[in-house]
Structure formats: C-alpha cells, structure tokens
Amino acid sequence: MASRARPQASLEPGLVVAAYGRRYRVEVDTGLEIDCMTRGKRSDVACGDRVRIARSGEGVGVIESIDERRTLFYRSDARRQKLIAANVTQIVVVVASRPAFSDDLVTRCLVGAEQAQISAIIALNKSDLPEVTDASAALDLYRALGYTVVLLSAKHDLTPLRGHLSNHTSVLVGQSGMGKSTIINGLVPQAAARVAEISAALGTGRHTTTHAELYRLDPDSSIIDSPGLQEFGLHHLTLDDAAHAFVEFRQWLGDCRFRNCRHMSEPDCAILSAAARGDIAQRRIHAYHRLAEELSRKRAEWQ
Ligand code: GDP
Ligand code: ZN
C-alpha cells in the first residue's frame, strides 16, 4: 500500500523552555535548543509544554503538536486566555514587604491556582525590611486557610525558599518590583545573562522578563519565571467555579436554600451565614463578591 502522510512518530519530542510572543525555544532530547514557531496563527503553546516538533533548518523548527498537559495555569480577559505555564505542580505567588502588594491580586492568583487544581504557596520577599511585620500579618489570613507562607530575603539568602521548590515544577507569579528576578538570579546564576540575551534579540532594550522561561534547579526540580502581573483576569470561571476556588467556602457549598445560590444577598445562604458568624473572613467574602460581580457583568455582556 502506498504510504500516507508521514506518521506523527517522525516528529521529535521536546520541552518548551521559553515562550515569547509566538516564538518558542524547545529543548530536545539531546539537550539542544531549537528556535520554533507554530503553524498559522496558533498561539496556545505555553512554557513547560511537552511538544512535537519538525525541524525546518539548522537550529530552527515548527511546533506541530502539544502533548496532553498535566496542568495549565492561565488567566483570561474578556477576549482571550493568557497562558502562563503548563505542567507545573506548584504556583509560587511572590509578594514583598515594600512596595505594598495587591491583596486582590494574591487572592486572584490563588483562585486561579485552585481552579487549575495546582497547589500554591506565598513567598514574602524582602523580609530584611521593617515593613515585613505588617506584610506578614496581612498574610495571616492565607496561613489560616492552609497556604504556606515563606519569608525570605532574596538579596541575602534563598535557603527558606529552596526546600519548597525541590521535586516540583514551580512557576513564579507576582507584580513587578516584588523581587522575582532577584529570586531567579539567585537560584539560577546563568539566568541574568539569558534574560539580557533575549531582551537584546527582541529589541526590548530592557532587562526585564517579557517572556516565560524555564530553568532547571536539579534533575527533579525546575522553575518557570513569568512576566510581572498587573492584573489576573478570571473570565474563564463560572460563579460556581469561583465559589469552589475559595477553599474555605467548600464545606458549606450545597447548604444554601437555593441550589443556584450566588451567595450575594440570597436568604438562607450558608456562605453569608458563615461570614456573619465570623467563620469566613470579611476580606474573603468581599473578595468573592468583587469577583462574582465582575463575572456576572461579563455574563450579562454576553447575553
Ligand atoms: P521583579 O520586578 O519582581 O523582578 O523585582 P526585582 O527582582 O527587579 O526587584 C525589585 C527591587 O527590589 C530591586 O531594586 C531589588 O534590588 C529589590 N529587592 C529584591 N529582593 C530584595 C530583598 O530581599 N530585600 C530588599 N531590601 N530588596 C530586594
Ligand atoms: Zn449561598
């Protein structure tokens, strides 16, 4: 029988170690890194993806397919999804003593992590500054919910964080200015040179992270650095998803009078009752209400 199109098996497997715009660097089994594009307008490839590529020349290739993902961490606005990282086993939300961090952004990162079923920890950087006391107290809420909070001073000592990274593929997320680059440069000495190289190649002229990049820490651990966040859109969530992503709500979900209760102002709402009793923190119910209102507006726009 005449042979059909070339079988998928002839494609070469690889790992996406950097994603910038629609360009990707893919590490193949020999350790070589291949500059890859996608076909057509496809842009649904994320750093950390395992892919199949076809070489198209010396050191260049095309991503033909993406292997099944264990996890996908992404945010989304009204128009589209913004992929952050694939196949990570842990999200590290980086905040700092100074400048003040956005509590709303922390909540949203944690909600995004819960929705994606990826565990999350919070790293409070710049613990050498006097503001650390207040910043750490502001995070007590998350400690009470079961999230690990790690205090560190990336400028001086990364030891407190290191142990939490072993045997994980972690992704660092956070606002710019919190110290993500300092953490990466401390963990991966060759990272600074890499970022400078890519900034030059892209002509951005700034040595900031404009892309996501994966670094190996040891044979069983790696870390993905992602661009600084200003917002974390959660348009991909339904109201029900949102309520489940507030971990402490789960024990009462299903106990409301109405099965489709939105926990906004309905009578006999188990979530609002728990909040009134003090079993759910005010900051959390307010954060949920802000998110739920945003998601309801989004639904109204679609109708
Ligand atoms: P990024 O925008 O999150 O990548 O943040 P950078 O790593 O660029 O850090 C922002 C600023 O915070 C820089 O001026 C760093 O020198 C400073 N910084 C980072 N880590 C620490 C720390 O542990 N202690 C103090 N005092 N400053 C830090
Ligand atoms: Zn309710």
Side-chain angles (χ1 to χ4, degrees):
M1 211 171 78
S3 68
R4 309 255 313 263
R6 297 219 303 162
Q8 289 284 77
S10 70
L11 297 174
E12 199 174 353
L15 172 67
V16 178
V17 293
Y20 29 108
R22 289 185 42 237
R23 286 171 59 188
Y24 304 90
R25 256 198 352 263
V26 176
E27 186 191 273
V28 293
D29 287 347
T30 54
L32 207 64
E33 290 187 356
I34 311 295
D35 269 316
C36 289
M37 309 281 277
T38 51
R39 280 215 190 277
K41 288 202 161 46
R42 179 169 200 176
S43 61
D44 58 346
V45 181
C47 190
D49 259 326
R50 298 218 131 260
V51 294
R52 309 275 154 164
I53 67 163
R55 302 267 194 125
S56 51
E58 179 83 32
V60 293
V62 177
I63 296 176
E64 296 285 359
S65 66
I66 307 171
D67 290 359
E68 198 182 330
R69 292 163 168 148
R70 285 179 62 182
T71 60
L72 181 65
F73 189 50
Y74 66 100
R75 55 202 182 95
S76 56
D77 62 18
R79 277 167 301 141
R80 59 185 192 97
Q81 296 181 355
K82 299 178 178 183
L83 306 189
I84 300 173
N87 298 318
V88 298
T89 58
Q90 174 171 265
I91 315 272
V92 181
V93 183
V94 182
V95 297
S97 306
R98 190 173 70 210
F101 60 86
S102 158
D103 192 50
D104 198 52
L105 194 72
V106 172
T107 302
R108 284 165 170 270
C109 289
L110 296 177
V111 164
E114 294 295 340
Q115 169 73 11
Q117 297 187 301
I118 307 170
S119 63
I121 66 171
I122 299 171
L124 172 55
N125 186 33
K126 311 193 197 182
S127 61
D128 52 301
L129 299 177
E131 291 90 338
V132 68
T133 314
D134 287 347
S136 183
L139 296 172
D140 278 342
L141 172 62
Y142 302 107
R143 291 187 180 92
L145 296 174
Y147 294 105
T148 297
V149 178
V150 183
L151 267 63
L152 80 152
S153 171
K155 248 185 180 170
H156 304 106
D157 184 16
L158 285 156
T159 315
L161 184 60
R162 268 183 220 277
H164 293 278
L165 303 177
S166 74
N167 296 314
H168 272 292
T169 300
S170 306
V171 58
L172 290 185
V173 293
Q175 295 163 263
S176 53
M178 299 288 127
K180 260 174 346 85
S181 313
T182 309
I183 293 174
I184 291 285
N185 293 339
L187 291 171
V188 194
Q190 66 275 27
R194 275 279 195 86
V195 171
E197 209 173 276
I198 289 171
S199 300
L202 293 176
T204 55
R206 288 177 301 130
H207 291 183
T208 49
T209 315
T210 51
H211 63 287
E213 175 125 18
L214 181 146
Y215 302 96
R216 290 229 165 65
L217 300 174
D218 63 53
D220 302 312
S221 322
S222 47
I223 191 156
I224 294 177
D225 190 17
S226 70
L229 292 172
Q230 260 144 34
E231 51 183 14
F232 197 104
L234 290 163
H235 281 239
H236 54 291
L237 268 64
T238 63
L239 278 183
D240 198 40
D241 290 334
H244 278 91
F246 282 72
V247 285
E248 74 277 37
F249 288 17
R250 289 176 190 166
Q251 58 188 304
W252 294 291
L253 292 172
D255 296 347
C256 302
R257 187 203 294 181
F258 301 114
R259 213 153 54 89
N260 60 352
C261 185
R262 299 179 319 135
H263 328 298
M264 298 298 282
S265 56
E266 291 87 343
D268 293 331
C269 167
I271 298 298
L272 293 174
S273 304
R277 285 196 308 273
D279 289 339
I280 290 176
Q282 288 300 306
R283 255 163 76 198
R284 291 281 284 179
I285 195 82
H286 289 152
Y288 168 75
H289 283 160
R290 273 197 304 276
L291 177 59
E293 273 161 19
E294 186 184 313
L295 297 178
S296 304
R297 266 201 307 280
K298 172 201 78 177
R299 294 186 75 83
E301 280 163 18
W302 283 359
Q303 278 158 10

